[in-house]
Amino acid sequence: MLRTLLIELSHSEVLRKFSMKNSLAKKTARRFVAGETIKEGIEAAKELNSLGIKTTMDFLGENTKNEEEAINCSKEIIKILKAIEEEKIDGNVSIKLTQLGLDLGEEFCKGILIKILEEAKMRNNFVRIDMEGSPYTDKTLKLFFDVLEKYKNVGIVIQAYLYRSMKDVEEIIKRGGRIRLCKGAYKEPKTIAFPKKKDVNENFIKIMKVLLNSKIYHAIATHDEKMIDATISYVEEKKIPRDSFEFQMLYGIRRDLQAKLVKDGWRVRVYLPYGTHWYPYYMRRLAERPANLFFILKNLFKG
Ligand code: FDA
């Protein structure tokens, strides 16, 4: 219930405006967001690298309302690619297609995406397309398949909570695409997504096994120790090379587990968001773990 409410509130424009001006919300969002500027993002990336952790940088933004906004986002993403190279960061970028104008037209969005992919290719880097809510699944996959024909430096995300995901995975693998597997962070109806966590977890493990057998470099993105243990057991059982995949986690979540995996010799990449449009991202993080609300309340009473 609380999770659903928080995800619904993430679409509220009034609350977004209020939170972005509210210093407590800003302060608590900093747990999950590296800062508001590219400089802060790069500093956080360097810190992660110094701990042996790779990064994927995300300039926060989604559902841009006009072409100018979308083009400005793409310029910032190109700046990140440049900064990653110049500052010798072990990192790549993650993007959202609605940030690049998917709501404004598929051809427009594709044009911007190709500019980013060209820039990344020139700098020998990689671009991950995040997966958004289900109204965008088909459009996102279609654009991904379109660009995958020419660009090998692009990957996609699959959400284990969708019933359709195993089929999508098979098609992506057939075309040689790289996948980040996650559970899924949006509110979806039970007609298209498993309503029970247990079923999501079972599907996650089934897909994880398919990915690890595919001989393509994929990412297993979770903070769930059960999912991580299942992955490690499978890798050890099948003698899959450790460097043939990576674990991924979100900035500010389970830093202890990130460090432990690195210490144990696993590849770890942290999704590192920065920017001023942190509100919907922040609300999704709160929704994933309602205990986070108590963290906020505790700060509120601390004054
Ligand atoms: P689960 O939610 O079961 O959490 C397991 C444990 O992790 C919890 O018990 C808690 O300890 C910790 N934890 C998880 N979330 C937390 C939080 N917010 N605050 C504090 N602790 C928390 N989704 C999507 O729909 N599209 C996408 O493109 C992406 N991209 C993406 C990239 C990366 C690198 C990651 C790690 C995740 C995503 N996600 C995503 C989000 C993903 O779908 C999912 O919502 C979260 O990862 C939480 O699910 P877990 O697998 O961690 O399990």
Side-chain angles (χ1 to χ4, degrees):
M1 269 296 279
L2 191 55
R3 181 182 153 88
T4 308
L5 178 68
L6 285 166
I7 294 183
E8 254 157 30
L9 289 178
S10 74
H11 302 296
S12 159
E13 194 56 17
V14 177
L15 215 75
R16 184 184 71 80
K17 284 191 177 143
F18 169 77
S19 304
M20 289 179 72
K21 284 191 195 133
N22 179 287
S23 61
L24 173 70
K26 262 191 181 179
K27 198 172 124 195
T28 50
R30 279 302 288 261
R31 179 184 163 192
F32 304 113
V33 174
E36 296 199 339
T37 63
I38 192 166
K39 192 163 172 278
E40 289 169 300
I42 290 288
E43 284 313 310
K46 282 185 184 167
E47 201 182 316
L48 287 166
N49 284 177
S50 75
L51 301 170
I53 297 173
K54 301 167 190 301
T55 181
T56 181
M57 294 184 66
D58 166 47
F59 175 56
L60 289 161
E62 45 202 272
N63 297 106
T64 50
K65 302 264 186 301
N66 58 60
E67 294 191 355
E68 192 189 349
E69 223 184 297
I71 291 168
N72 286 341
C73 285
S74 72
K75 286 184 182 159
E76 178 80 9
I77 293 160
I78 286 172
K79 266 196 209 157
I80 309 176
L81 286 164
K82 197 164 168 245
I84 286 175
E85 186 176 7
E86 285 174 359
E87 302 281 341
K88 299 190 172 41
I89 301 289
D90 185 352
N92 56 39
V93 295
S94 287
I95 59 165
K96 286 188 174 53
L97 292 185
T98 69
Q99 172 184 40
L100 303 179
L102 187 58
D103 291 328
L104 311 169
E106 285 173 37
E107 280 309 306
F108 170 74
C109 180
K110 187 173 165 186
I112 297 191
L113 175 63
I114 286 176
K115 281 201 182 121
I116 293 172
L117 291 175
E118 279 291 341
E119 185 77 21
K121 191 175 160 192
M122 194 177 83
R123 299 184 187 281
N124 211 7
N125 211 330
F126 177 80
V127 176
R128 175 81 61 184
I129 302 175
D130 287 348
M131 189 58 81
E132 302 179 66
S134 58
Y136 299 107
T137 313
D138 280 326
K139 286 182 187 174
T140 303
L141 281 169
K142 182 183 174 297
L143 263 185
F144 170 65
F145 287 140
D146 280 359
V147 292
L148 185 63
E149 281 181 14
K150 179 157 177 218
Y151 298 93
K152 297 300 155 214
N153 61 330
V154 62
I156 191 76
V157 176
I158 283 290
Q159 298 153 321
Y161 64 15
L162 294 183
Y163 301 137
R164 62 178 284 170
S165 284
M166 185 59 96
K167 268 208 159 135
D168 290 334
V169 164
E170 284 161 3
E171 186 58 35
I172 296 165
I173 287 179
K174 210 161 75 188
R175 299 182 192 215
R178 285 170 57 177
I179 295 171
R180 169 200 295 151
L181 172 65
C182 67
K183 289 192 187 178
Y186 296 81
K187 179 179 169 274
E188 301 293 359
K190 57 181 178 217
T191 45
I192 62 166
F194 295 105
K196 291 192 186 135
K197 263 200 147 186
K198 179 180 155 287
D199 297 322
V200 177
N201 290 349
E202 273 178 26
N203 202 36
F204 189 103
I205 291 177
K206 272 189 207 151
I207 295 176
M208 172 272 286
K209 291 181 178 173
V210 173
L211 297 189
L212 294 181
N213 275 319
S214 71
K215 302 210 166 16
I216 297 172
Y217 191 89
H218 300 294
I220 307 298
T222 180
H223 318 87
D224 185 341
E225 288 188 63
K226 284 200 208 94
M227 300 301 105
I228 291 171
D229 289 348
T231 306
I232 292 176
S233 301
Y234 191 68
V235 165
E236 287 174 347
E237 182 199 326
K238 298 284 172 191
K239 300 195 172 25
I240 293 166
R242 283 179 175 227
D243 59 2
S244 65
F245 79 102
E246 63 188 35
F247 287 109
Q248 292 189 354
M249 292 191 208
L250 299 175
Y251 182 76
I253 300 181
R254 294 299 312 263
R255 288 175 203 247
D256 57 330
L257 192 52
Q258 296 169 15
K260 184 181 180 301
L261 286 171
V262 170
K263 186 169 153 277
D264 292 347
W266 300 98
R267 286 190 174 192
V268 179
R269 186 180 305 273
V270 161
Y271 185 99
L272 177 57
Y274 80 91
T276 52
H277 290 268
W278 45 262
Y279 176 75
Y281 179 86
Y282 172 58
M283 291 302 278
R284 287 197 292 276
R285 302 295 77 83
L286 292 187
E288 277 155 5
R289 197 164 179 250
N292 288 335
L293 280 178
F294 295 110
F295 168 80
I296 294 176
L297 291 174
K298 209 172 76 190
N299 275 277
L300 185 65
F301 289 116
K302 265 193 210 157

